[in-house]
Protein backbone atom coordinates (compact mmCIF):
# COMPACT_ATOMS: atom_id res chain seq x y z
CA UNK A 1 0.00 0.00 0.00
CA UNK A 2 1.15 3.55 -0.66
CA UNK A 3 1.07 6.65 1.50
CA UNK A 4 1.24 10.04 -0.18
CA UNK A 5 2.59 12.94 1.86
CA UNK A 6 2.00 16.46 0.59
CA UNK A 7 5.27 18.15 1.39
CA UNK A 8 5.76 20.86 -1.21
CA UNK A 9 4.27 23.94 0.45
CA UNK A 10 6.39 27.00 1.16
CA UNK A 11 5.57 27.12 4.86
CA UNK A 12 5.36 30.92 4.81
CA UNK A 13 3.82 31.12 8.26
CA UNK A 14 6.92 29.54 9.76
CA UNK A 15 9.36 32.00 8.24
CA UNK A 16 12.19 32.70 8.80
CA UNK A 17 12.77 29.04 9.78
CA UNK A 18 11.45 27.89 6.40
CA UNK A 19 13.86 30.15 4.51
CA UNK A 20 16.57 27.60 5.28
CA UNK A 21 14.66 24.37 6.00
CA UNK A 22 11.51 23.03 4.31
CA UNK A 23 8.67 22.66 6.83
CA UNK A 24 8.55 18.81 6.64
CA UNK A 25 12.17 18.71 7.87
CA UNK A 26 11.73 21.10 10.79
CA UNK A 27 12.37 19.13 13.97
CA UNK A 28 9.72 18.24 16.49
CA UNK A 29 11.52 16.82 19.52
CA UNK A 30 14.59 16.30 17.37
CA UNK A 31 12.84 14.34 14.61
CA UNK A 32 11.73 15.91 11.31
CA UNK A 33 8.01 16.58 11.23
CA UNK A 34 7.53 14.28 8.23
CA UNK A 35 9.21 11.40 10.08
CA UNK A 36 6.56 11.54 12.79
CA UNK A 37 4.04 10.75 10.03
CA UNK A 38 6.17 8.02 8.48
CA UNK A 39 6.77 6.42 11.91
CA UNK A 40 3.00 6.18 12.44
CA UNK A 41 2.24 4.33 9.17
CA UNK A 42 0.82 0.83 9.49
CA UNK A 43 2.94 -2.15 8.40
CA UNK A 44 1.10 -2.66 5.11
CA UNK A 45 2.44 0.66 3.78
CA UNK A 46 5.55 -0.29 1.85
CA UNK A 47 5.98 2.88 -0.22
CA UNK A 48 5.91 6.53 0.75
CA UNK A 49 5.39 9.00 -2.08
CA UNK A 50 6.40 12.54 -1.23
CA UNK A 51 4.95 15.33 -3.36
CA UNK A 52 7.67 17.95 -3.15
CA UNK A 53 8.47 21.32 -4.64
CA UNK A 54 9.82 24.02 -2.29
CA UNK A 55 13.40 23.11 -1.23
CA UNK A 56 13.10 19.66 -2.74
CA UNK A 57 16.90 19.19 -2.78
CA UNK A 58 17.02 19.18 1.00
CA UNK A 59 14.24 16.59 1.17
CA UNK A 60 16.00 14.42 -1.43
CA UNK A 61 19.23 14.69 0.50
CA UNK A 62 17.53 13.77 3.78
CA UNK A 63 15.91 10.63 2.38
CA UNK A 64 19.11 9.61 0.59
CA UNK A 65 20.95 9.69 3.92
CA UNK A 66 18.21 8.32 6.19
CA UNK A 67 16.58 4.94 5.80
CA UNK A 68 13.00 5.06 7.02
CA UNK A 69 12.34 1.36 6.48
CA UNK A 70 10.14 1.90 3.44
CA UNK A 71 10.66 2.71 -0.21
CA UNK A 72 10.54 6.49 -0.62
CA UNK A 73 9.70 8.14 -3.94
CA UNK A 74 9.96 11.91 -4.33
CA UNK A 75 7.96 13.54 -7.10
CA UNK A 76 8.70 17.16 -7.89
CA UNK A 77 6.47 20.00 -9.02
CA UNK A 78 8.41 22.76 -10.78
CA UNK A 79 5.88 25.20 -9.38
CA UNK A 80 3.69 24.22 -6.40
CA UNK A 81 0.45 22.82 -7.84
CA UNK A 82 -1.68 23.12 -4.71
CA UNK A 83 -2.88 20.16 -2.65
CA UNK A 84 -5.07 18.77 -5.47
CA UNK A 85 -2.58 19.41 -8.28
CA UNK A 86 0.12 17.68 -6.22
CA UNK A 87 -1.98 14.51 -6.00
CA UNK A 88 -2.66 14.54 -9.75
CA UNK A 89 1.06 15.03 -10.37
CA UNK A 90 1.90 11.69 -8.67
CA UNK A 91 -0.92 9.75 -10.32
CA UNK A 92 1.43 7.24 -11.98
CA UNK A 93 2.23 5.94 -8.49
CA UNK A 94 -1.38 5.59 -7.28
CA UNK A 95 -3.06 2.43 -8.50
CA UNK A 96 -4.92 1.25 -5.38
CA UNK A 97 -6.40 2.55 -2.10
CA UNK A 98 -3.88 5.02 -0.62
CA UNK A 99 -3.32 7.17 2.46
CA UNK A 100 -2.83 10.88 1.91
CA UNK A 101 -1.42 13.33 4.47
CA UNK A 102 -0.84 17.00 4.81
CA UNK A 103 2.83 16.89 5.76
CA UNK A 104 2.48 19.06 8.83
CA UNK A 105 -0.03 17.09 10.90
CA UNK A 106 0.82 15.60 14.28
CA UNK A 107 -1.93 13.42 15.73
CA UNK A 108 -2.86 10.35 17.72
CA UNK A 109 -4.91 9.01 14.80
CA UNK A 110 -4.96 5.21 14.52
CA UNK A 111 -4.29 4.77 10.80
CA UNK A 112 -5.17 1.05 10.74
CA UNK A 113 -8.55 1.90 12.20
CA UNK A 114 -9.03 4.71 9.66
CA UNK A 115 -8.27 2.26 6.86
CA UNK A 116 -10.72 -0.36 8.19
CA UNK A 117 -13.38 2.35 8.49
CA UNK A 118 -12.76 3.33 4.85
CA UNK A 119 -13.01 -0.26 3.65
CA UNK A 120 -16.20 -0.83 5.67
CA UNK A 121 -17.92 2.29 4.35
CA UNK A 122 -16.73 2.16 0.73
CA UNK A 123 -16.88 5.32 -1.40
CA UNK A 124 -14.20 7.43 -3.03
CA UNK A 125 -12.63 8.74 0.15
CA UNK A 126 -12.57 9.03 3.92
CA UNK A 127 -11.53 12.20 5.72
CA UNK A 128 -10.33 12.16 9.30
CA UNK A 129 -12.25 14.72 11.36
CA UNK A 130 -11.29 16.61 14.48
CA UNK A 131 -13.69 18.41 16.79
CA UNK A 132 -12.82 22.00 17.76
CA UNK A 133 -14.63 24.65 19.81
CA UNK A 134 -14.18 27.31 17.10
CA UNK A 135 -13.92 25.99 13.53
CA UNK A 136 -13.79 29.43 11.86
CA UNK A 137 -10.13 29.08 10.81
CA UNK A 138 -10.60 25.63 9.25
CA UNK A 139 -12.31 23.56 6.58
CA UNK A 140 -15.57 22.45 8.20
CA UNK A 141 -17.41 19.24 7.35
CA UNK A 142 -21.17 18.58 7.59
CA UNK A 143 -22.05 14.96 8.37
CA UNK A 144 -25.14 12.79 8.12
CA UNK A 145 -24.14 9.90 10.37
CA UNK A 146 -20.78 8.97 8.83
CA UNK A 147 -21.49 10.40 5.39
CA UNK A 148 -20.14 13.82 4.45
CA UNK A 149 -22.92 15.97 3.03
CA UNK A 150 -21.34 19.42 2.95
CA UNK A 151 -18.10 21.41 3.12
CA UNK A 152 -17.51 24.93 4.30
CA UNK A 153 -14.12 26.70 4.17
CA UNK A 154 -13.30 29.06 7.05
CA UNK A 155 -16.86 29.99 8.06
CA UNK A 156 -17.72 33.30 9.69
CA UNK A 157 -17.74 32.75 13.49
CA UNK A 158 -21.15 31.47 14.57
CA UNK A 159 -22.11 30.34 11.04
CA UNK A 160 -20.29 27.01 10.93
CA UNK A 161 -22.31 23.98 9.81
CA UNK A 162 -20.61 21.82 12.45
CA UNK A 163 -17.68 21.74 14.87
CA UNK A 164 -15.87 19.03 12.89
CA UNK A 165 -12.87 20.06 10.81
CA UNK A 166 -10.89 18.34 8.09
CA UNK A 167 -7.85 16.95 9.93
CA UNK A 168 -5.73 16.62 6.75
CA UNK A 169 -5.34 12.84 6.82
CA UNK A 170 -7.27 10.86 4.20
CA UNK A 171 -7.79 7.48 2.60
CA UNK A 172 -8.68 7.67 -1.10
CA UNK A 173 -9.51 5.40 -3.98
CA UNK A 174 -7.51 6.09 -7.15
CA UNK A 175 -10.79 7.24 -8.81
CA UNK A 176 -10.19 10.51 -7.00
CA UNK A 177 -7.66 11.31 -9.75
CA UNK A 178 -10.44 11.45 -12.37
CA UNK A 179 -11.86 14.48 -10.54
CA UNK A 180 -8.73 16.64 -10.28
CA UNK A 181 -8.31 18.95 -13.28
CA UNK A 182 -4.80 19.85 -14.54
CA UNK A 183 -2.94 22.87 -13.15
CA UNK A 184 -2.97 24.47 -9.72
CA UNK A 185 -5.85 22.93 -7.79
CA UNK A 186 -6.93 23.03 -4.16
CA UNK A 187 -8.16 19.62 -3.00
CA UNK A 188 -10.24 21.12 -0.23
CA UNK A 189 -11.88 23.96 -2.17
CA UNK A 190 -12.09 22.71 -5.74
CA UNK A 191 -12.28 18.92 -5.54
CA UNK A 192 -14.06 17.85 -2.34
CA UNK A 193 -17.29 19.78 -2.92
CA UNK A 194 -17.59 18.21 -6.40
CA UNK A 195 -17.25 14.57 -5.36
CA UNK A 196 -19.75 14.38 -2.50
CA UNK A 197 -21.98 12.12 -4.61
CA UNK A 198 -19.12 9.61 -5.01
CA UNK A 199 -19.30 8.67 -1.33
CA UNK A 200 -17.18 10.65 1.11
CA UNK A 201 -17.12 9.61 4.76
CA UNK A 202 -15.90 11.25 7.93
CA UNK A 203 -13.88 9.42 10.58
CA UNK A 204 -13.84 11.06 14.00
CA UNK A 205 -11.11 10.35 16.51
CA UNK A 206 -10.04 11.33 20.01
CA UNK A 207 -6.65 12.09 21.52
CA UNK A 208 -4.67 14.93 20.00
CA UNK A 209 -4.35 16.66 16.65
CA UNK A 210 -2.24 19.64 15.68
CA UNK A 211 -1.59 21.25 12.31
CA UNK A 212 1.95 22.55 12.89
CA UNK A 213 1.74 25.33 10.31
CA UNK A 214 2.14 28.32 12.66
CA UNK A 215 4.63 29.07 15.46
CA UNK A 216 1.87 28.73 18.07
CA UNK A 217 0.67 25.38 16.74
CA UNK A 218 4.26 24.12 16.35
CA UNK A 219 4.72 24.69 20.09
CA UNK A 220 1.35 23.09 20.79
CA UNK A 221 2.43 20.00 18.84
CA UNK A 222 5.60 19.86 20.89
CA UNK A 223 3.58 20.06 24.11
CA UNK A 224 1.26 17.25 22.95
CA UNK A 225 4.18 14.98 22.11
CA UNK A 226 5.80 15.70 25.48
CA UNK A 227 2.56 15.08 27.36
CA UNK A 228 2.21 11.78 25.46
CA UNK A 229 5.45 10.31 26.63
CA UNK A 230 8.23 11.64 24.39
CA UNK A 231 10.25 13.54 26.99
CA UNK A 232 14.05 13.16 27.34
CA UNK A 233 16.73 14.65 29.53
CA UNK A 234 20.36 13.96 28.82
CA UNK A 235 21.41 17.59 28.93
CA UNK A 236 24.62 18.81 30.56
CA UNK A 237 22.95 20.47 33.53
CA UNK A 238 25.31 22.52 35.68
CA UNK A 239 23.51 24.15 38.60
CA UNK A 240 20.31 24.46 36.54
CA UNK A 241 16.72 23.77 37.47
CA UNK A 242 14.63 21.72 35.04
CA UNK A 243 10.85 22.01 35.44
CA UNK A 244 8.20 19.61 34.06
CA UNK A 245 8.34 17.66 30.81
CA UNK A 246 11.04 18.60 28.30
CA UNK A 247 13.18 17.17 25.51
CA UNK A 248 16.74 18.13 26.38
CA UNK A 249 19.20 16.37 24.12
CA UNK A 250 22.85 17.10 24.96
CA UNK A 251 22.14 20.80 25.46
CA UNK A 252 24.38 22.87 27.74
CA UNK A 253 22.36 24.36 30.57
CA UNK A 254 24.34 26.41 33.05
CA UNK A 255 22.82 28.08 36.11
CA UNK A 256 19.44 28.57 34.43
CA UNK A 257 15.80 27.54 34.78
CA UNK A 258 14.39 25.49 31.90
CA UNK A 259 10.88 24.12 31.37
CA UNK A 260 8.20 23.11 31.12
CA UNK A 261 7.78 22.07 27.48
CA UNK A 262 11.21 23.06 26.21
CA UNK A 263 13.07 21.24 23.46
CA UNK A 264 16.80 21.95 23.38
CA UNK A 265 18.76 20.10 20.69
CA UNK A 266 22.46 19.16 20.62
CA UNK A 267 24.82 22.11 20.76
CA UNK A 268 22.22 24.53 22.07
CA UNK A 269 22.92 26.36 25.30
CA UNK A 270 21.35 28.51 28.00
CA UNK A 271 23.59 30.63 30.21
CA UNK A 272 23.51 31.80 33.85
CA UNK A 273 20.43 33.51 35.21
CA UNK A 274 18.19 32.82 32.19
CA UNK A 275 14.68 31.38 32.16
CA UNK A 276 13.36 29.38 29.17
CA UNK A 277 9.76 28.13 28.95
CA UNK A 278 7.69 26.44 26.22
CA UNK A 279 10.22 27.00 23.46
CA UNK A 280 12.43 25.25 20.92
CA UNK A 281 16.20 25.68 20.74
CA UNK A 282 17.37 23.99 17.58
CA UNK A 283 20.96 22.81 17.04
CA UNK A 284 23.46 25.41 18.24
CA UNK A 285 20.87 27.99 19.33
CA UNK A 286 22.17 30.03 22.26
CA UNK A 287 20.47 31.98 25.01
CA UNK A 288 22.86 34.39 26.76
CA UNK A 289 22.96 35.42 30.43
CA UNK A 290 19.94 36.81 32.30
CA UNK A 291 17.48 36.33 29.43
CA UNK A 292 13.82 35.35 29.49
CA UNK A 293 12.64 33.24 26.53
CA UNK A 294 8.99 32.19 26.38
CA UNK A 295 6.94 30.67 23.53
CA UNK A 296 9.82 31.07 21.06
CA UNK A 297 11.23 29.06 18.18
CA UNK A 298 15.00 29.54 17.89
CA UNK A 299 16.32 28.13 14.63
CA UNK A 300 19.71 26.45 14.23
CA UNK A 301 22.41 28.82 15.49
CA UNK A 302 19.94 31.54 16.49
CA UNK A 303 21.11 33.76 19.35
CA UNK A 304 19.41 35.67 22.16
CA UNK A 305 21.85 38.26 23.50
CA UNK A 306 22.59 38.73 27.21
CA UNK A 307 19.85 40.45 29.16
CA UNK A 308 17.17 40.18 26.43
CA UNK A 309 13.54 39.12 27.00
CA UNK A 310 11.73 37.53 24.06
CA UNK A 311 8.23 36.13 23.91
CA UNK A 312 6.35 34.57 20.97
CA UNK A 313 9.22 35.13 18.53
CA UNK A 314 10.64 33.01 15.70
CA UNK A 315 14.36 33.68 15.38
CA UNK A 316 16.85 32.46 12.78
CA UNK A 317 20.63 32.80 12.98
CA UNK A 318 20.81 35.31 10.13
CA UNK A 319 18.63 37.93 11.82
P1 LIG B 1 1.87 28.26 4.52
O1 LIG B 1 2.61 28.91 3.41
O2 LIG B 1 2.36 28.71 5.86
O3 LIG B 1 0.38 28.32 4.38
O4 LIG B 1 2.25 26.69 4.53
P2 LIG B 1 2.11 25.59 3.37
O5 LIG B 1 2.67 26.10 2.12
O6 LIG B 1 2.74 24.33 3.90
O7 LIG B 1 0.55 25.40 3.18
P3 LIG B 1 -0.46 24.53 4.03
O8 LIG B 1 -0.08 24.55 5.46
O9 LIG B 1 -1.82 24.94 3.69
O10 LIG B 1 -0.23 23.10 3.40
C1 LIG B 1 -0.70 21.91 3.98
C2 LIG B 1 0.17 20.77 3.49
O11 LIG B 1 0.08 20.65 2.08
C3 LIG B 1 1.63 20.97 3.81
O12 LIG B 1 2.17 19.72 4.18
C4 LIG B 1 2.23 21.47 2.53
O13 LIG B 1 3.58 21.04 2.36
C5 LIG B 1 1.36 20.80 1.48
N1 LIG B 1 1.21 21.64 0.31
C6 LIG B 1 0.60 22.85 0.23
N2 LIG B 1 0.65 23.33 -1.01
C7 LIG B 1 1.30 22.39 -1.75
C8 LIG B 1 1.68 22.28 -3.13
O14 LIG B 1 1.42 23.17 -3.94
N3 LIG B 1 2.34 21.16 -3.51
C9 LIG B 1 2.65 20.16 -2.64
N4 LIG B 1 3.31 19.09 -3.10
N5 LIG B 1 2.32 20.21 -1.33
C10 LIG B 1 1.65 21.32 -0.90
Amino acid sequence: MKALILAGGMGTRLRPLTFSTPKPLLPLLGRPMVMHIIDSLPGEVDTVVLAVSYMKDQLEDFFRKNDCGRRVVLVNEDEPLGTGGAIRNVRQHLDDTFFCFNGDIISSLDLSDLLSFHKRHGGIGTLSLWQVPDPSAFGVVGLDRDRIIDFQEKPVPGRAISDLINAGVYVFQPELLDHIPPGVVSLERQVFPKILDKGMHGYRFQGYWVDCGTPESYLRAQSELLEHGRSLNNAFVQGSKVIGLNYLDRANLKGCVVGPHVCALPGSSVADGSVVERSVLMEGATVGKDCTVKDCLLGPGAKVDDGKSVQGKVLAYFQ
Side-chain angles (χ1 to χ4, degrees):
M1 184 175 181
K2 305 215 171 74
L4 166 61
I5 303 181
L6 303 174
M10 295 179 69
T12 53
R13 291 166 297 161
L14 284 174
R15 287 176 179 171
L17 298 179
T18 46
F19 282 135
S20 52
T21 307
K23 183 163 60 171
L25 292 185
L26 286 176
L28 266 173
L29 306 190
R31 198 151 174 75
M33 220 178 258
V34 69
M35 288 306 295
H36 287 267
I37 295 179
I38 294 176
D39 292 344
S40 71
L41 292 170
E44 63 249 63
V45 175
D46 54 12
T47 304
V48 176
V49 180
L50 281 141
V52 297
S53 181
Y54 180 68
M55 290 197 163
K56 73 162 172 59
D57 294 349
Q58 280 203 36
L59 283 149
E60 263 167 17
D61 195 48
F62 175 83
F63 283 103
R64 203 177 310 119
K65 291 179 180 154
N66 294 278
D67 179 8
C68 68
R70 291 161 162 108
R71 195 166 78 95
V72 175
V73 180
L74 276 79
V75 181
N76 181 44
E77 296 146 46
D78 290 333
E79 292 295 327
L81 291 171
T83 45
I87 299 177
R88 186 185 154 90
N89 194 50
V90 303
R91 61 191 178 283
Q92 73 274 25
H93 297 284
L94 304 173
D95 48 7
D96 203 349
T97 308
F98 62 99
F99 283 109
C100 179
F101 297 83
N102 283 353
D104 53 1
I105 299 299
I106 292 296
S107 82
S108 57
L109 185 52
D110 178 339
L111 294 169
S112 297
D113 202 47
L114 171 67
L115 182 60
S116 318
F117 175 99
H118 174 77
K119 287 183 175 162
R120 249 188 352 265
H121 286 74
I124 196 166
T126 298
L127 276 66
S128 57
L129 303 178
W130 181 249
Q131 195 169 20
V132 290
D134 174 15
S136 58
F138 300 97
V140 182
V141 170
L143 275 189
D144 178 11
R145 298 185 187 209
D146 289 335
R147 185 150 184 149
I148 298 177
I149 51 168
D150 207 358
F151 287 102
Q152 195 183 29
E153 270 301 314
K154 301 195 172 83
V156 176
R159 294 280 175 84
I161 53 173
S162 83
D163 58 0
L164 294 170
I165 62 165
N166 171 4
V169 181
Y170 318 102
V171 182
F172 291 126
Q173 293 305 119
E175 289 75 50
L176 173 79
L177 299 162
D178 302 337
H179 303 277
I180 307 177
V184 178
V185 178
S186 159
L187 181 67
E188 301 83 351
R189 290 170 188 274
Q190 291 164 264
V191 181
F192 285 164
K194 295 206 170 137
I195 56 170
L196 280 173
D197 63 335
K198 308 290 173 212
M200 300 273 282
H201 297 97
Y203 172 88
R204 284 166 275 191
F205 66 100
Q206 311 284 318
Y208 61 91
W209 174 87
V210 187
D211 163 347
C212 309
T214 67
E216 299 75 32
S217 62
Y218 192 116
L219 288 169
R220 209 161 55 244
Q222 170 164 302
S223 296
E224 290 289 4
L225 291 173
L226 288 169
E227 292 293 336
H228 289 86
R230 307 279 188 93
S231 60
L232 172 81
N233 186 357
N234 61 20
F236 308 108
V237 181
Q238 305 155 55
S240 297
K241 187 172 173 194
V242 174
I243 301 171
L245 295 171
N246 303 283
Y247 187 95
L248 307 173
D249 185 9
R250 289 165 285 158
N252 290 295
L253 311 178
K254 190 162 171 266
C256 56
V257 181
V258 166
H261 293 186
V262 170
C263 170
L265 296 181
S268 63
S269 63
V270 183
D272 291 304
S274 288
V275 174
V276 181
E277 281 176 22
R278 226 180 90 88
S279 292
V280 184
L281 278 63
M282 296 183 196
E283 281 86 353
T286 58
V287 175
K289 291 182 182 171
D290 302 316
C291 299
T292 304
V293 176
K294 292 186 181 174
D295 303 307
C296 288
L297 301 176
L298 307 188
K303 195 168 172 216
V304 178
D305 291 330
D306 290 352
K308 286 265 160 50
S309 281
V310 280
Q311 177 147 19
K313 290 259 191 274
V314 183
L315 302 176
Y317 75 95
F318 44 79
Q319 282 176 328

